[in-house]
Amino acid sequence: MITAGLAMAFPGLARAAVQATTRGAQESLSLWYEQAAGPWVEALPVGNGRLGAMCFGRVAQERIQLNEDTLFAGGPYDPNNPRSLAALPRVRALIDDGRFAEAADLISSSMMGLPKTQMPYGAAGDLLLDFQGATEAAAYRRWLDLDTAIASTRFSDGKVQYKREVFASAPDQVIVIRLVATGGVMNFDLGYRHPRETSYGSTDYTGAKVETAAPPMPWDYREPLRADERPSSLSLRADGADALLIEGRNVAAAGIPSALRYAVRVQALGDGAITPRGDRIEVRDATTVTLLVAAATSYINYADVGGDPVGMVRAQTAAAAAKPYARLRSGHVHAHQALFRRLSLRIGAGAADPRPTNRRIALAEQQPDPGLAALYVQYGRYLLLSSSRPGGQPANLQGLWNEGTNPPWGGKYTININTQMNYWPAQSANIAECVEPLLRMVEDLSVTGAVTASKGYGARGWMAHHNTDLWRATAPIDGPLWGMWPCGGAWLCQALWDHYDYHPDPVYLRRIYPLLKGASLFFVDTLVEDPQGRGLVTSPSISPENEHHKGVATCAGPAMDRQIIRDLFGWTLTAHALLNDSDAAFAAELAAKRARLAADRVGAQGQLQEWLEDWDAGAPEQQHRHVSHLYGVYPSEQINVRDTPALIAAAKVTLNTRGDKSTGWATAWRLALWTRMGEGERAYGILQGLLGPERTYPNMFDAHPPFQIDGNFGGTAAILEMLVQSWGGEVRVLAALPKAWPEGALRGVRARGGVELDLDWADGQLKLLQLRGKPGQVVKVRYGERLTGMKLDGKGSATLRG
């Protein structure tokens, strides 16, 4: 379903978005299991971009864990340190003198944000459905159908067969839970558990290998609802004859008081007796029950928390209750498939694997399973569609799904790699609408980040450091080792530019140009001369999260900064020319400064230097998870196999030192890097590790560990890159195809320039390539050593047969 907001944000996509196909019906698109979920990382996610739920599929007590994408802690706040600007000259002088530890100490005391942390993302509680009379659970199965975006559970108890379906409807903005008993009736009580802190230190979240034959959950398993899980700030009561209304407040954090109100409303419809009783709903003698769940907060924007969550959830559940279940379901499925079915992927023969998904993951590193890689791509697309839709918040560190009020790393937006990686597959995977929430967040950051640029640096324009949150905080946080990095906002601009590059549209370009220009102005004002004459550099900065000497990351001009700024200035100059901006002086200054950025350097070991100085060999952590200085290889294209072979060779030396195994997202980045360099066999080996049980949980969530969703998205983008790459004005087909994937078919993948591709391959060779785009457009296609200019005909298509 195309909303007005979507059409305004991305006018060039309005027609394509409604062209649902039947492509998905030809694939194996299901995660399935033979037992109920135990820990949270076994539950199955549903989401509509704003509301999310984790479905456990338990028999005696079903658990549906809820999320709402604005339920962060705290409230509007100004984190900018008033001492920052005065300290800046001294910090730069200390860096120039090589007194990095002293510079870091001064940054810590005078430049870090107040508070030194940001606000965490929180859960919206749990629905607990306690069933009476269950004695067994035979023929049990639960599954998530990616093509319909419905999580289902099926089992029998004696002569009674039970079926449950859960989905998060984008058109109706509710979570729908359908329960059906065939051959008998259901009796259950529905209760609510308030959001709570959760332990992430247990073995459930460590990423340890999962047993391939884990014992099933006991049929009578029930989680107790303790009195201390109903805090005084929570109001839970009947709301009419068939509904439960929960009202509460978000939590305070780091001295920032609670400012958000939230509401959850659950309405029960069915053919039995439905009775609100105190803090529960009793359902008796029912064969069919539909639960409608709405959740909202008082958040309007990062500066306004005056919304009416109770009014919103009442209106949403009432509107949904006026529709029959079949209409709710069909509306949800149609809206999902209009986006999801644009792309299909088959790797291998395409026969459905008979093993449950957890078994396939457990054996991924031991047995070839090309279909699992294809499923991983479609699951990544499903997760991005479910956690980032127009009108909502961007996908955070855990996408949309989080179990407690204390998620790992706050569950916020880490913008020194993780948020950016979330959007790597959005364009190529043909779900570009998912970028719209990120665009709106960058527009917010251009306002709050202008304050940080002025107060912290005395600069024009806007900027952000390595993290932000719902309140669009842009000051440096955590400490100098992590937070004093000025390029977070600039890197976010890449996702905005990529959308233009894949979907050229002048209306959209005019919208993002002020963001590009403002981000560039900040660096026009803050770049400084390297005292050794090597060019313009940032100062102070870090190479994200990596120490160059023990305990110290503070430096000037790390490679990643120079690469990001080179891209940013280039995008801005291109937009300036395309839009005929009259500010010629700005363009001239920007071009001059871009030309004077310090160049990439190769160190004594033959590696691509991470810093201006050749410190790599002595850095304390040789296998560091971040490979920040390889931004120029991927996701950028500054360093590539066609134009800069010497730098590619140096990048390979760096990657060999770093190693192939790392955290989940860092493994995905390594996969993308080797893929971009055309090393299909090396990439395939890394992919096997990413798909295996140390980096993929039973529900296919990526294990950092614990769960971070960026690994899913980075892996999705990289797998598609193994088949189709789009950079340097060319489309590269099967550029990193491994021998383990001799045959397959890909439909609907996107390339830069507004092009869509279908391709078939067999015996490791391209058999068919079809292009769609603008009539008369010439597309340069490279396959092996062959470069072909394919001109699209009057209908905007062209075909190449291998």
Side-chain angles (χ1 to χ4, degrees):
M1 176 172 289
I2 303 301
T3 66
L6 169 59
M8 289 177 65
F10 299 129
L13 292 178
R15 290 186 303 275
V18 296
Q19 295 175 352
T21 74
T22 58
R23 291 169 179 163
Q26 308 303 314
E27 300 171 75
S28 175
L29 291 170
S30 179
L31 286 66
W32 74 276
Y33 307 84
E34 295 175 311
Q35 64 256 358
W40 189 81
V41 291
E42 294 178 358
L44 294 172
V46 297
N48 66 7
R50 187 181 69 84
L51 300 178
M54 296 292 285
C55 310
F56 286 71
R58 294 174 180 172
V59 174
Q61 184 197 65
E62 176 62 290
R63 177 186 176 193
I64 307 292
Q65 186 265 309
L66 304 174
N67 290 105
E68 199 276 351
D69 70 352
T70 62
L71 190 48
F72 278 67
Y77 68 106
D78 178 2
N80 293 289
N81 194 322
R83 300 190 302 273
S84 183
L85 185 58
L88 181 63
R90 179 59 178 162
V91 167
R92 286 174 170 166
L94 289 169
I95 291 171
D96 286 348
D97 288 344
R99 297 158 66 182
F100 304 110
E102 292 177 61
D105 288 343
L106 183 54
I107 290 169
S108 183
S109 65
S110 302
M111 297 186 75
M112 300 308 297
L114 303 172
K116 225 179 222 186
T117 187
Q118 290 174 354
M119 300 299 103
Y121 177 55
D126 297 91
L127 298 182
L128 300 175
L129 283 62
D130 284 294
F131 291 87
Q132 300 177 6
T135 58
E136 61 178 271
Y140 182 94
R141 184 183 180 104
R142 67 184 174 99
W143 67 97
L144 174 62
D145 185 338
L146 304 181
D147 188 45
T148 61
I150 297 176
S152 302
T153 304
R154 182 184 65 210
F155 60 92
S156 61
D157 179 2
K159 295 181 179 180
V160 185
Q161 295 182 341
Y162 296 94
K163 173 81 179 286
R164 303 173 190 162
E165 292 186 336
V166 184
F167 58 86
S169 170
D172 292 295
Q173 287 298 302
V174 291
I175 294 169
V176 181
I177 305 167
R178 177 75 160 182
L179 305 102
V180 176
T182 303
V185 296
M186 292 176 286
N187 296 287
F188 65 90
D189 293 344
L190 184 153
Y192 173 82
R193 179 166 58 194
H194 190 69
R196 55 183 180 161
E197 287 195 357
T198 300
S199 172
Y200 293 96
S202 67
T203 56
D204 294 339
Y205 293 91
T206 60
K209 289 190 176 181
V210 178
E211 293 294 329
T212 60
M217 293 287 295
W219 66 267
D220 58 350
Y221 180 85
R222 298 174 192 270
E223 294 188 45
L225 182 60
R226 303 190 308 268
D228 62 358
E229 291 172 347
R230 295 173 180 161
S232 58
S233 62
L234 174 69
S235 167
L236 196 158
R237 64 185 187 278
D239 193 47
D242 56 5
L244 199 63
L245 179 65
I246 300 99
E247 294 183 76
R249 297 193 66 87
N250 69 335
V251 299
I256 305 301
S258 163
L260 281 176
R261 294 172 293 113
Y262 77 89
V264 177
R265 190 172 192 265
V266 186
Q267 186 168 358
L269 308 172
D271 58 6
I274 297 174
T275 309
R277 200 174 300 280
D279 59 0
R280 288 177 171 265
I281 294 177
E282 292 182 357
V283 178
R284 299 292 182 266
D285 299 322
T287 62
T288 303
V289 176
T290 302
L291 303 177
L292 305 173
V293 186
T297 77
S298 58
Y299 181 87
I300 295 177
N301 58 50
Y302 65 90
D304 186 346
V305 294
D308 178 14
V310 173
M312 184 179 293
V313 298
R314 281 177 173 159
Q316 289 167 338
T317 49
K323 299 180 180 181
Y325 175 73
R327 185 176 168 192
L328 290 171
R329 190 183 193 277
S330 63
H332 155 74
V333 171
H334 176 77
H336 171 71
Q337 290 180 344
L339 302 176
F340 183 78
R341 283 190 168 185
R342 291 181 187 161
L343 181 143
S344 69
L345 174 61
R346 173 179 59 81
I347 303 176
D353 194 295
R355 299 170 297 173
T357 304
N358 55 318
R359 176 72 175 174
R360 295 175 70 182
I361 292 168
L363 298 176
E365 294 182 79
Q366 304 170 35
Q367 299 178 3
D369 188 355
L372 186 61
L375 183 64
Y376 195 89
V377 167
Q378 293 289 35
Y379 189 53
R381 296 179 70 243
Y382 168 86
L383 292 175
L384 192 52
L385 280 170
S386 300
S387 61
S388 184
R389 280 187 178 241
Q393 297 299 311
N396 61 46
L397 274 174
Q398 294 189 296
L400 177 63
W401 304 276
N402 157 47
E403 189 177 16
T405 56
N406 58 326
W409 303 282
K412 49 193 185 296
Y413 303 100
T414 301
I415 55 175
N416 66 8
I417 173 62
N418 311 101
T419 302
Q420 288 87 346
M421 185 179 283
N422 285 355
Y423 290 91
W424 284 357
Q427 305 300 332
S428 60
N430 212 338
I431 47 174
E433 291 86 346
C434 294
V435 177
E436 191 269 351
L438 187 71
L439 167 59
R440 285 187 294 101
M441 184 173 82
V442 175
E443 288 176 329
D444 290 348
L445 292 173
S446 72
V447 178
T448 59
V451 178
T452 300
S454 177
K455 288 186 176 181
Y457 295 87
R460 298 172 295 168
W462 69 276
M463 62 88 65
H465 291 87
H466 94 296
N467 257 278
T468 191
D469 57 14
L470 182 73
W471 312 109
R472 307 311 190 227
T474 53
I477 64 163
D478 296 338
L481 181 60
W482 306 275
M484 186 43 69
W485 185 64
C487 294
W491 192 358
L492 286 174
C493 289
Q494 183 184 45
L496 310 188
W497 180 258
D498 275 355
H499 179 78
Y500 174 77
D501 222 8
Y502 278 80
H503 299 273
D505 179 80
V507 175
Y508 172 80
L509 187 62
R510 281 192 291 272
R511 180 172 177 178
I512 68 168
Y513 179 61
L515 306 175
L516 301 175
K517 186 174 183 178
S520 295
L521 277 171
F522 171 77
F523 292 105
V524 167
D525 287 357
T526 58
L527 288 171
V528 297
E529 295 281 352
D530 169 56
Q532 296 184 39
R534 290 170 291 190
L536 294 176
V537 296
T538 51
S539 182
S541 189
I542 61 171
S543 187
E545 303 187 29
N546 197 10
E547 303 172 352
H548 51 77
H549 291 83
K550 184 65 175 175
V552 181
T554 303
C555 66
M560 185 187 224
D561 289 17
R562 288 140 39 206
Q563 293 167 0
I564 289 175
I565 296 168
R566 189 174 293 115
D567 270 349
L568 174 66
F569 284 5
W571 305 326
T572 306
L573 287 166
T574 300
H576 180 279
L578 290 171
L579 296 174
N580 297 312
D581 186 342
S582 60
D583 191 350
F586 166 71
E589 183 177 20
L590 201 62
K593 286 186 178 286
R594 186 176 189 268
R596 296 189 58 240
L597 289 167
D600 289 309
R601 304 167 69 86
V602 178
Q605 286 74 41
Q607 88 287 2
L608 191 69
Q609 284 184 200
E610 187 161 0
W611 298 274
L612 269 174
E613 309 298 336
D614 192 357
W615 289 330
D616 299 70
E621 194 175 344
Q622 291 294 301
Q623 283 76 47
H624 198 270
R625 60 196 177 278
H626 285 260
V627 283
S628 302
H629 52 311
L630 302 189
Y631 163 92
V633 179
Y634 188 98
S636 181
E637 57 187 64
Q638 294 175 35
I639 300 172
N640 63 71
V641 294
R642 184 190 67 191
D643 304 320
T644 59
L647 293 179
I648 283 289
K652 290 180 179 179
V653 172
T654 291
L655 277 177
N656 283 325
T657 300
R658 282 290 207 266
D660 291 349
K661 290 187 176 182
S662 190
T663 63
W665 64 263
T667 301
W669 198 357
R670 285 155 170 77
L671 170 63
L673 287 161
W674 284 111
T675 297
R676 178 60 65 86
M677 295 189 291
E679 299 284 353
E681 298 310 316
R682 183 68 172 268
Y684 178 75
I686 296 171
L687 176 60
Q688 295 306 94
L690 183 65
L691 296 176
E694 291 188 4
R695 288 295 169 262
T696 295
Y697 288 117
N699 67 356
M700 291 191 79
F701 275 171
D702 174 74
H704 181 289
F707 166 51
Q708 275 191 198
I709 205 166
D710 36 38
N712 287 102
F713 296 138
T716 294
I719 293 168
L720 289 175
E721 280 258 330
M722 294 169 81
L723 304 174
V724 175
Q725 299 182 13
S726 176
W727 56 265
E730 300 176 359
V731 176
R732 295 188 167 224
V733 180
L734 304 182
L737 183 71
K739 294 177 181 178
W741 297 350
E743 62 176 315
L746 175 61
R747 301 284 183 271
V749 69
R750 297 287 300 190
R752 296 178 190 273
V755 180
E756 188 170 301
L757 294 82
D758 299 342
L759 64 148
D760 295 346
W761 73 96
D763 300 320
Q765 302 295 315
L766 178 67
K767 298 301 180 183
L768 178 67
L769 173 66
Q770 295 180 308
L771 303 181
R772 292 178 295 280
K774 184 179 179 180
Q777 180 178 3
V778 176
V779 181
K780 295 180 181 179
V781 177
R782 185 179 294 275
Y783 173 57
E785 299 300 318
R786 176 182 168 190
L787 181 63
T788 303
M790 297 178 64
K791 184 174 182 179
L792 306 190
D793 62 21
K795 295 182 179 180
S797 64
T799 300
L800 176 67
R801 299 187 183 277

